[in-house]
Structures are given as structure tokens and as C-alpha cells.
Amino acid sequence: MDLNGKKVLVFGSGISGEAAAVLLNRKGAYVVLYDGNEKLDAEKIKEKMPENVRVVLGAFPEKLLDGLDLTVMSPGVPTDLPIVEKMREKGIPVWGEIELAYVCGKGDVLAITGTNGKTTTTSLLGQIMKNYKDSVFVVGNIGNPYTSIVPETKEDTVIVAEMSSFQLETVHSFRPGVSAILNITPDHLNRHHTMDAYIAAKERIAENQTPEDFCVLNYEDSVLREFGEKIDAQVLYFSSRRKLNRGVYLDGKTIICHIDEPVAVCNTDELQILGTHNFENAMAAVAMAYAYGVPLDVIRKTLMEFTGVEHRIEFVSEKNGVAYYNDSKGTNPDAAIRGIQAMNRPTVLIGGGYDKESSYEEWIQAFDGKVKKLVLIGATREKIAQTAQSLGFTEIVMADTFEEAFEKCVEYAQPGDAVLLSPACASWGMFKNYEERGDKFKELVERL
């Protein structure tokens, strides 16, 4: 689509929406940036926009649909809103910010999705690619809008993109040369409503791929193993539990890459990231890089240098004999299970937050004698407490604020224990995002 002179509505004024509006303006489109939150400051938004971008807040004025050529959705905006359905009925294309960036940008795209591990895998793959090529951008759900870097892309650019299910809902022509789905467990059911819809959104990452492309999948995830049998892309599996005839797998403590012939990549003891889940993330990144053509020595060197990502089982400090870990990125039960599994000492755990309609049974069961006290906060605290008590775990403390929860952890933790922030819930309601929650935790630790 030639965007010059087109009337384009950007729906949602978050960082993705703002970046999309700037790109569209650059392409010569007449841009309206809309957000349903009337409490936002229109003047502050306008300060960040080119002069001729119009900003509209509050109730949606249907006259905006008149002569509209395209709508670009921010990932935080549900795609099943009545007004969005009306756009579709009128034949107005509804794209996501990712689709816009893909259509306007240049270079090769390596894209990663999954319920958990996306940010670690994307960061690691991004570092591998930066050690291999000059023009590399790491974008998407990791916090850097894809549209913001489009003007800098060239034919030899590599874009490493972390993709959420929200972003994948609105792709159309998006076709990564190498894609990956790391795992699928229940998440965001308040948005997708059913597990089938959530899975379908994740699987869209490969829908336009051809036999020239690669898709990396977790062999130990039954949904993905079945998915691998019906897609057009060449499938490379990774596994932490068994040897594979083709793919990347863990043999004892050795990561093996078996594409043409088995080759040892490195020993897990040489890595600076901990836990089987991180070894799986590393194997996915190895498979993607190798499929793209990165030499094994570049992959190996980067793997051994990589220190992990902030807010994901991040060691903060030891104070008075107590180790403090920030796993604020554990925003769903499956991610939080991995946080618990990484602990090797008695743990006081902060849990709870925004309700994404998750169930918490498996998370509580994963405590497995490690959690000595569960301090609960947020909208989900009663629901989690009831689940825990029904499973026989009664060492529960309620807190009204995050600061109070932290104070209770300090009170209950003894020398030799750990305090872990791994909430199994989103941060909304108390914080803007999980990063702000994790930063607050680290600030409180450093004050001790």
C-alpha cells in the first residue's frame, strides 16, 4: 500500500502507537492518533508528534471512519471492540504496528514468540546477530517499537523481533525468514477468551512462511510438535529431554546442534544463565542463528558471554545473609514456576497482582517445600490464597501495598533464605509494567 496521502487512524497512543504515527507521517499519510482514555494529556502527546498529526481522545467519534484508508492497532488495544468490527465490515484494513513496520522496512526478520522465555531468547539472539553483522535491531515486545527503527533499515539489516500474541493478531503479510515458538501455556485469556484463540494467535508467526524459511519449535510441547507437522516452513526442534535426529538438544550438560551432523556447542556449566528453561532459550537461539547461517564459533562465544536479562530471575543483592531475586517478569504462573525452580534455598515469595484469569494450582504445587512464606498483594491475592489453602499450603500473609509486602519478606526471611519477587501475575493496577515493579523491588533491597 502506498501510504502517501492516505488517511490512517492509529488506535492507541502507547509507545508503539506513537512510533507508528511518526512513521506514517514520514510516509506522507494524513494521521489521526486516537486513544479512548480521555484522562490522557493531549498536549503532551502532541509535543511528541509531528505538527500535522491530529490527536483525538475519549469516546470514539464515528466520523473518523469517513474516508479512512487504514487502521493501525497498538498491541494493547483489543481487536474485538465493536468499533474495530465496524471497520472490518466497512472494508477498512486493520493492521498492527508490526505489519506496518514489516511493509515499510527492509532487511531480514528473525521473530520469536512463546508464553515464556521470549525476552531472554530475543536478547541472546540479538547479541549473536550483532556479533555477526553490522546492521542489527532488536525490536517488538521487548520494548523497542519496530516502526521506530524502520527508517534506519537497509537490505542487509537483520531485525530480531520479540512477538506477543497481541502483536501477532494483526499481521497479514508478515513473513520472518526464521521464526520460533518457544512454548505455549495458558496466558492472556482475559484478552483471547479461549486457549484455542491464544494458540492460534501464537501460530500466526509462521502462517506466511514458505519451504525456504525455518521455524524453530519446542519438541517437548505437544501443541508445537503437532503444529510442526502441518506448516510449510522447514522445522527445527529443540529439546531438553531427548536426542533429536535434526535440531538442537541437551545431552547431559552439553548443547548439541544436529543439523547436518552432531556438533557440540558448549557445556551448560560454561553459561552464565541458570536453569533448564534458560538452556531451552539458549537452544532456540542457537537453532535460529544456525538456520540463518551464523558460524558456530560466533554462536558459541556469544552464548558464553551472555548474562541474561533484567527482571528475569535477576540476583539483586545479599543483605544480612538473605539473597534477593527480582523475577518481576514472571507475569504468569508458568513463568513463575521457573522462578521457583531456580531457587536453591528456603524462599519467601511475593505473589499476586492483576487478574489475567489464570489458574494457580500448578504454581502452588511447584513450591515443593521451597516456599516457607507466601506474601500476597493485588487483585488476585484472595484467589491465590484460596487455591493455596485448598492444596494444603497455609503459610500465607496478605499485604495492602508493595512496600508492606517487602517489609513482611524482610521480617520472615532468615540468614540463608531467599526473597523472591515472582508474582505469577501482571503488574497493572499497582505499576505501569513489570519493569517498574522490578525496579521498585531493587530500590527497596538497596535501601536495606
Side-chain angles (χ1 to χ4, degrees):
M1 180 187 286
D2 180 7
L3 295 165
N4 188 40
K6 296 291 193 296
K7 180 181 176 183
V8 184
L9 173 71
V10 177
F11 203 131
S13 67
I15 59 169
S16 295
E18 289 175 353
V22 170
L23 177 61
L24 285 160
N25 180 77
R26 188 180 179 124
K27 292 289 180 181
Y30 169 68
V31 185
V32 179
L33 178 58
Y34 167 75
D35 199 296
N37 184 356
E38 59 188 13
K39 294 179 181 176
L40 294 174
D41 188 330
E43 292 306 314
K44 280 190 177 177
I45 297 171
K46 284 177 184 174
E47 286 172 11
K48 294 184 272 185
M49 291 294 107
E51 190 176 338
N52 49 347
V53 171
R54 182 182 166 204
V55 176
V56 178
L57 301 178
F60 191 92
E62 290 209 19
K63 64 183 179 182
L64 283 183
L65 300 183
D66 296 343
L68 191 62
D69 294 299
L70 173 68
T71 294
V72 176
M73 302 290 289
S74 296
V77 181
T79 56
D80 58 356
L81 294 175
I83 192 64
V84 180
E85 295 292 349
K86 187 168 282 191
M87 291 172 193
R88 293 193 181 100
E89 288 168 13
K90 285 178 167 286
I92 299 166
V94 177
W95 291 4
E97 181 258 349
I98 294 291
E99 179 72 11
L100 174 66
Y102 180 76
V103 168
C104 296
K106 298 174 183 174
D108 297 330
V109 179
L110 313 180
I112 296 153
T113 194
T115 306
N116 298 304
K118 295 187 294 297
T119 301
T120 299
T121 307
T122 302
S123 300
L124 173 53
L125 182 61
Q127 201 55 55
I128 292 170
M129 299 315 300
K130 286 175 181 177
N131 288 340
Y132 176 57
K133 296 199 76 172
D134 292 331
S135 178
V136 177
F137 296 96
V138 180
V139 302
N141 196 56
I142 202 163
N144 184 27
Y146 189 172
T147 43
S148 69
I149 58 91
V150 163
E152 301 171 68
T153 58
K154 303 175 290 186
E155 294 300 334
D156 65 345
T157 292
V158 174
I159 292 133
V160 181
E162 177 185 334
M163 304 288 291
S164 71
S165 57
F166 298 170
Q167 290 168 317
L168 286 165
E169 278 184 315
T170 46
V171 298
H172 297 281
S173 64
F174 179 72
R175 176 190 161 194
V178 185
S179 69
I181 310 178
L182 306 177
N183 45 61
I184 296 182
T185 56
D187 198 15
H188 298 300
L189 298 185
N190 58 322
R191 165 83 169 253
H192 296 290
H193 307 304
T194 68
M195 193 63 193
D196 285 345
Y198 176 60
I199 292 169
K202 290 290 189 191
E203 290 179 346
R204 293 196 70 188
I205 199 168
E207 73 177 14
N208 295 316
Q209 288 190 294
T210 72
E212 297 174 12
D213 305 317
F214 290 87
C215 183
V216 173
L217 300 170
N218 186 343
Y219 191 84
E220 302 311 323
D221 188 307
S222 59
V223 171
L224 297 179
R225 196 161 59 238
E226 183 181 329
F227 179 62
E229 295 171 1
K230 60 187 183 186
I231 60 175
D232 293 330
Q234 299 177 58
V235 175
L236 294 177
Y237 288 107
F238 65 92
S239 174
S240 58
R241 298 182 189 174
R242 70 194 79 205
K243 296 180 181 180
L244 302 173
N245 293 326
R246 191 165 191 260
V248 181
Y249 60 88
L250 203 54
D251 184 6
K253 289 188 173 183
T254 305
I255 294 176
I256 304 288
C257 182
H258 188 175
I259 309 297
D260 303 314
E261 58 182 356
V263 179
V265 180
C266 66
N267 190 293
T268 55
D269 287 343
E270 299 175 286
L271 301 180
Q272 299 185 60
I273 49 177
L274 304 174
T276 302
H277 66 288
N278 271 327
F279 303 154
E280 290 173 343
N281 297 335
M283 289 188 285
V286 168
M288 293 184 76
Y290 195 85
Y292 186 75
V294 180
L296 210 54
D297 60 329
V298 175
I299 297 172
R300 181 183 291 117
K301 181 175 183 293
T302 313
L303 270 180
M304 295 194 294
E305 292 172 348
F306 184 68
T307 57
V309 297
E310 192 178 16
H311 306 297
R312 192 67 181 110
I313 319 176
E314 174 193 7
F315 175 70
V316 180
S317 184
E318 184 165 313
K319 300 280 187 173
N320 304 314
V322 176
Y324 289 83
Y325 289 89
N326 165 29
D327 191 36
S328 186
K329 203 170 187 310
T331 59
N332 60 63
D334 192 61
I337 286 171
R338 295 163 190 236
I340 291 292
Q341 289 171 339
M343 294 298 103
N344 58 4
R345 50 170 86 190
T347 300
V348 180
L349 173 65
I350 300 177
Y354 178 83
D355 192 355
K356 293 195 285 183
E357 298 181 17
S358 300
S359 59
Y360 300 97
E361 287 84 358
E362 290 186 19
W363 178 49
I364 304 294
Q365 288 163 348
F367 289 1
D368 196 27
K370 287 184 182 178
V371 177
K372 59 184 283 188
K373 193 74 75 172
L374 175 61
V375 182
L376 292 173
I377 54 174
T380 56
R381 64 181 188 172
E382 298 293 345
K383 180 178 177 181
I384 294 172
Q386 289 171 10
T387 302
Q389 287 161 350
S390 73
L391 293 169
F393 184 91
T394 57
E395 293 297 321
I396 300 165
V397 180
M398 299 292 196
D400 293 324
T401 66
F402 191 79
E403 290 80 0
E404 183 190 353
F406 184 82
E407 288 167 8
K408 289 182 181 294
C409 289
V410 174
E411 178 187 337
Y412 289 112
Q414 301 296 315
D417 290 351
V419 169
L420 172 66
L421 168 67
S422 188
C425 299
S427 58
W428 311 317
M430 281 188 165
F431 300 95
K432 283 191 302 187
N433 48 45
Y434 72 80
E435 293 97 334
E436 187 179 82
R437 178 171 62 186
D439 288 340
K440 184 64 178 178
F441 179 78
K442 291 193 284 186
E443 176 192 320
L444 293 171
V445 173
E446 294 307 331
R447 280 190 204 165
L448 289 175

